[in-house]
Amino acid sequence: MSFTNVENQVELIKEISGSDPYKCMKCGKCSASCPSYNEMDIKPHQFASYIIRGDVDELLSSKSAWKCLSCFACIERCPRDVQPGKLVDAARQLAERQRGGDHLQADEIPELLAEDLPQQLLVSAFRRYRR
Amino acid sequence: MQELINRLKELLADGTVVRAIGWKKGDMPYNPEPAYFEKPEDFDDFVYDGFCGANLSKMMIEATKLEGKTAVCLKPCDTYSFNQLIREHRVNRDNAYIIGVGCRGKLDIEKARKAGIKGIKSISGVDIEGSGDVVFDTIYGQKTMDYKDLMLDRCHVCKGKEHVIFDEVIGESQETGDADRFEEVRAIEKMTPEERFEFFRSELSKCIRCNACRNVCPACSCRKCVFDNTKFDSQQKANVDSFEEKMFHIIRAFHVAGRCTDCGECSRVCPQGIPLHLFNRKFIKDIDDFYGEFQAGKDPEAQSPLTDFTFGDLEPKDAVGRGDK
Amino acid sequence: MKYSYYPGCTLKNKAQDLDRYARASALALGFELEEIPEWQCCGGVYPLGSDEIATKLASVRALNYAKEQGQDLITLCSACHHVLKRVNDDMKNVEDIRTRANNYSDFAEPYAGETKVLHFLEVIRDVIGFEELASKVVNPLTDRKIGAYYGCLTLRPGKILDFDDPENPKIMEDFIKALGGTPIIYSMRNECCGGYTALKDPEFTKQRTAQIFEDSTGFGADCLITACPLCMYNLNKSDAKAKVPVYYFTELLAEALGVKEEA
Amino acid sequence: MPMNEENTEFRPLIVAFCCNWCSYAGADLAGSSRLSYPADVKIIRVPCSGRVNPMFILRAFERGADGVIICGCHPGDCHYSTGNYYARRRMALLFSMLEYIGVENGRTRVEWCSAAEGAKFSKTMNEFCEKIKSLGENVRLGDLRCKN
Amino acid sequence: MQRIGVFVCHCGTNIAATVDVKKVVEMVRYEQGVVFADDYMYMCSEAGQEKIIEAIKEYKLTGLVICSCSPRMHEKTFRACAEKAGLNPYMVEVANIREQCSWIHKDKEEATKKAVILARAAIAKVNLNTPLKEGESPVTKRALVIGGGIAGIQTALDIADAGYEVDIVEKEPSIGGRMSQFDKTFPTLDCASCILTPKMVEVNQHPNITLYTYSEVEKVSGYVGNFDVGIRKKARSVDFDKCTGCGECMTKCPLGKIGHIPSEFDRGLKNRPAIYMPFAQAVPAVPVIDRENCTYFKTGKCGVCAKICPSKAVDYEQQDEIVTVKYGAIVVATGFDIINLDKFGEYAYNESPDVITSIELERLMNAAGPTGGHLERMSDHKQPKDIVFIQCVGSRCDNEEKGKPYCSKVCCMYTAKHAMLIKDHWPDTNITVFYIDVRTPGKNFDEFYRRAVEQYHVNYIKGQVGKVMPQPDGSLLVQAADLLDGKQIKMKADMVVLAAAIEPNPGVRKIATMLTASIDNNNFLTEAHAKLRPVESPTAGIFLSGMAQGPKDIPETVSQAGAAAVKVVGLLAKDKLKTNPCTAQCDTLLCNGCSTCANVCPYGAITYEDIQVNDHGLRETRRVAQVNLALCQGCGACTSACPSGAMDLQGFSNRQITTEVDAICR
C-alpha cells in the first residue's frame, strides 16, 4: 500500500467517524470499560495507533471490529473525545465498502435463527455484519 | 395665538424673562421663521400656526448662555430635543422658561405643491386653534385641502401630545399619528441588497452638502463639527471626493445614534428632499430591537444605549442578516 | 394529550407485551399513543458513520411525520429510542446530514430536527410526573424488590440522548418507587447485555447476562425490568444460577395501574 | 514578478483592528505557533476594541479596503473591563446600518479572540479572507457618495 | 517635519528567511519623513542598539521605526534605546514583521510586500507622533494579599519583613488554606501543620500585618500605587476583643451533636457546631457563628452560646462592616479547590462513601482529623485492606463539561506520598495505583516515587480505571485494563481514592474582574509574561502567588510567594511611579461638555469643570471634560464615544490611526 493510500484511509476514517485519533493519550479507559475486551485481539486503546499508522487492514482482519457491541461505554467515558467505538466502526465500514467483506453470509442465517429471536436482533446484526 | 402673545408679553413685562424665542412671519404665508422677541412691538410680526414646524430647542443652546432667562415655545415633540440637550449639558435649564405650545400637526407646503396648488396669495385654516380644511387663495382661485393631507410625514408618526418638559402649557394638542413609524425602514429592509444600495446611492447623490440638515439638527450641536475639524484627517487627504463627502450622512447618522429624538427636522429642511430621517430611524429601530425600546429625550436621566451594555448583548454578527431568516 | 407513536419492528412481533401494556397504561395515565402510519424500521443500530444517509431516512420520515402532526414522538423500544434521538440530533445539528437527508426526501418544508423525541419513561417523568403516577397506582408493588436494567442504548451517549445521568441513572428507580416497589441499585445495570452478538456468539451473551443477574440478585433483586426487547431476549436466554424473572417495565406499570387484564 | 495565472487572482485588502491585550497578543501567538493566514490581512494595533471609532472602518472602506475585522478580548475579559461591550454595541449598529444601505454582509466582522487563542486568530483570518474573496472587490462602499 | 530613521531587523533568519530585508530598506527609503534606513542582524542586540543610537545622533533623527518582532516583545527595549540617545521614547514605533509577517507567510515576495506596507504604516504614524512625557503618581506604602493560604501567608511575611505594611484578606474564618488540611508533605514527609502553624502564628503577631479573616474584597478602584479597596468584614457574631478563644461555646452548641452541619475543613467527613472554629489551631482563635445554620438566627430561640460565654463575647447584633483601605500593590493568592465529581458517575463517588478524594484521605490520615488519624472506611469504620488509587480524575480531560485539559501536577507525588504513609502505618495494606503517566519532575521527586515502588511495593498499573462498582458484600470492584500486560483487570478494593483535578478557587473570576487582571480559559490568572514575568499580572500593581496562577506544589508556591513579595517590595520602595503617557486628552475648544465620555470611562478618570476659554476671540465659560492623567489607563473608550471628536488618545490618536489605515490602503 502506498503512503498516500494510507493517508487517504486515515483521512477517510477520520471523516466517517468524526473523531480524531491523534487526540488519544493512551489512558486506556476505553479498554478498562469495554465489555468485549477479552474477545478482542486488538484492544480498544490500540485502535487509534493502528489508524494513525495506517494499519487499517490489520485492524479489519482482527476480530475486534466484529466484537464491538456498540454499547458506547468507551465513547461516553473517553476523556479525550477520541471515541474508540466510532473509530473501529469507521474502519469496519471502510472495509465493507471497499471489499464488500460481509462478516455474515446469507446462507449462515437460517441455522442461526431461533424461534423466539426478536427482530431487533436480526436487523441489528445485519446492520453490523453486512453492508 | 393671541393668548400666547399676551402671555409672552406678560412674562417680558414682569421680568420673568428678558427675551422670548418664537416664530415671526416670513416673506410667504407658509414660511415663518424663528425669531427673538424682546419688546412689545416685536410681537407685531409674531406668528404661530400650522407652518411653524421649526424646532426651536437648538436655539436655546446659545440663548441660555445669555444674561437673564429666555422663554421658548416648544411643541410636544420639540420638548424631547430639549430634554436631550439638558442631558448633554448643552442648555442651561435654569435660564429657560418653556412654554409648551399646542400642536395639531405641522404642515408641509410641498404637499400642496404636489397637489398642484400654485401661485399662493394667502392661506387660511392653518390657525393653531382651528379645525377643518386649509383654504388656499391663489392667483388661480381658491383651493381647499384636508389639514391631514397637508401634514408633514413626521406628524403622521407623532410621538404624542404631551410635553415632556415645560413650565407652562398654552393651547391644546392633538395626537396626529396614524402611521407606523418604522414602516418605511421595514420596506427598505425587505429590498434586496442591490435595490437598497441603488436606493441610497440615488438619494444621496442628490446631496449638495449645503449642511442644512446638520445646522437644523438639535443633536448636531457640536461647537465645531467633526467634518470641519482636522481630527480625523491626515496628510494623505485627497482633495476631491474626500472621505467625509462620501460618508457624510452615514457618519452624521451614527454621530446622533442614541441621541436623535426623531424630530424629523433634517428631512423637513433638506432642499433636495432626501429622506434623511431614514438613517436615523433605522438606528432607532435597531436600538429598540437589540437593546429594548428607547426614546431619546424622554427621560433625561436614562442611560443612552450606546454608553450602556449588558453581558449578553447581541453579537455584531447576529445584528446583520436578520431579514434573511 | 396525544403523541405520535413509533412502535418499531419488534414491538409488532416478539415484544408485543411491551407495546400493549404501554398503550393500556397510557390511557390510564391520560395520554394517547397514535401510531404513525406506514412507519419503517429504524434499523436497530444507529449508523455511526457520519456520512451515512440512506440508513437514517426511515427515522427522518417518522420524525417529520410527527412534526407535521405537531406532536412529540414517543418510543418504547430502547433501540428505536436511541436511533431516533440520534438521527434527530443529526438533523438538528449536522448541516451536511440535514441537507442531504432533505434532498432525498420530498417534505413540504425541510426537516431540521424540530420534533421532540421522548421515551415513554420520559413522558411519565417529565409530563405526567412520578407523584401523579403514584397517585394513580391501584395495585402497589409492595414488597417487590425490582432491579432496573438499563442496558446501553437508553443512556449513551448521555449528551445526545439526554435521558438520564449515563453512569448513575435514576429514572427507572424513581419509576419503581412510584409503583410502590423497592428499587435495587446495582452496578451492572448500565452494562451491556451482549446485544446482537447473541446471533453468532451466544456463549458470550450468557457470560454477560450471568454477571447482570449475579450483581442484581446480590443486592437483593427478585426481578428485573427492562425497556429493550433485545436485552429481554438475552436475559431470558440466560441459564445463570442467579436468574430471576425479567419483565418489560410496561407490564409492571399496567399491573400497578390495574389495567393489565384489559390490555 | 512573472505574470502567471495565480497573480491575476483577486487578492483582497483587509484591515484588522486588534486590541493590544488579547487579540494582538493572539495574533502574535498565531505567529509564534506558525499558524499561517493570508498576507492580505494587515493589523493595526489599538489599545482596546473600544478605541475603534466607526470612522476608522468607514475610512478604510473608502480608501479601498475590501474587508474590515475588529478583534477584541472576549466579553467579560476586556483588559479595561468594559471597552469591548461598547464596541460590541457600536459595531452591531454600524454593521446593521451598512447592511441597510446595501453593503454585502460579511465585509465587516467582529471576533473575540484571547491572547491564548492563536489558533482561533489564524482560523478567523483564513475564514474572513475566504469570505471577502468570495464577495470580491468592494465597489459599493467606495462608491457611496453624496455627489455623483 | 520629522526626520525618521527606519531599522529593519533580520532576527537571524527568523525574519530574513521569508522577508527580503534589503528590499524593505530600499522600498521605505523614500517615504515621507524618512532620512535614513538600514538593516541589521539583531536590532535588539547591544550592537544593534548602538547602531540606532549612532544614527539618531548622526542624522538628527526625530523619530524611529523599527521593523522587527512584536512590539509586545521589544518596544520597551527600543524606547529605552531612543532615550539613551536623547530622543523621546514615544517617538518610536515598531512594525511587527516577525509574528505578523515572516512567521506566518511562506512566499518571500508576498511577505516582503506586506513587510513594506507594515513599515509604511508605522512611518506614517511616526510622522504624527509627538514627544510624550510620563507623569508621576505617588505610591501608597501598603500591600494587600488576597487569600490566606500558604501562598498568601508567605507573601505577606516576606513583604512585612521587608518593612512594609501588609493586610491579608481571607474569606474563611481562619488563615491556613488548603495546606492546613494536609497531613504530611512530599517529598520530605514532614508534618504540614508543624511547618505551617508557626507561620500562621507569626502572621498573627507580626506588627506589620493586619488580618481580615472571614472577610471578602468587595470593590476595587484606583490603579498601581493607589488602589482603593473595599473589604467586607462579615459579621462574626463574636466580639473579637472580648473572646479569649476558650472554645466553651463550640462544645455547648446544641447543633454540634445533632446539627448535621458538615465541616468544610474536614470535607464533610465530620459535623461541626453552628458556632465554630474550622480547626483547633485556627488563627485567629476566635469562632464565628454560621448564621445560615444557627438556630438562634433561624428561629430566634436558643442563645446557648451567648449565655455560657464567660467573657460575654457573643454578639448576635453584629453587622457586616465595610472598610476602605488604600494600597499600593495587590497580590492574588486565592488558591485552589478540587473539581466537582458529579460528572464522574463511573467512579461511584456519590454512590459509595468508600470512594473518597485525596483531600478527604488527607483528613482521614491526619491525627487531628475526624478519625483521629486512624484510616477507616466511612461506610463501616473498618480499616481498609485493599486500597486503589485512581490518577487523573478530571485532569488531562478534553471534555469541558467533565474535567480540565491540564495536568494538575501534584497528584502523582501526593499519591506516592499517601501510598507510603499508609504502608508505613499499616504495612499489610495492598495498594494499587492506576496511572496514565507518572510525572515526577523535581528535586528528589522521582526517587520518592521509586521508593514507593521499590521499598513499599506499591503496585503501579498503567491504565485508567473504567468503572468502580460497589458490590453486594460492601467491597468495591474496580474494572481497569493493564495496558502494559494487555489484560483487563477486575480487582476488589475496600477503598478507592480519586486524585481529582484541581481548579482555581471559584471566587477568583469575580476578584480578577474587580482587579481587571486577566484570567485564562481555565480561570487561572494570566502572567504578564509566561517566562519572564511569571509573578506579575498584565495589570500594573497586581501580582500572583500560588495555585491561583497555575498548578504547583508547596515549595514552588513558597518560591513564587517570595518572588511576588520582592516585586511588591520593589514597587512600594518607590516614592513615585511613572504613569503611562498614552492617556486621553480633551480638546477644550471642541468639547461640548456632554458627559458621554464620563459614562464609558471604566476608571472614573473624567470629570467636568467650568473653565474660561478663548475660542478664536470669543471668551466664555464652558463646561468641559478633564482627564485625570493618573487614573487614565489609555483604553480610548472615551474617544470613540465622544460625539464631537474632542477626546483623543495620545500615542493612538485619531489622526495616527487614520493615517495607518490610509497607509495600508494606499
Side-chain angles (χ1 to χ4, degrees), chain E residues 294-313:
Chain E
C294 170
T295 316
Y296 180 84
F297 281 96
K298 275 159 79 179
T299 66
K301 295 183 188 112
C302 185
V304 169
C305 48
K307 275 175 222 142
I308 57 109
C309 176
S311 44
K312 299 289 167 229

Side-chain angles (χ1 to χ4, degrees), chain A residues 15-16 68 71 76-77 119, chain C residues 13 50-51 156 158 167 196:
Chain A
E15 197 183 308
I16 296 174
C68 167
C71 78
E76 189 70 48
R77 291 175 195 157
Q119 284 71 16
Chain C
N13 198 308
S50 57
D51 56 350
R156 294 190 287 262
E167 299 291 356
Y196 61 89

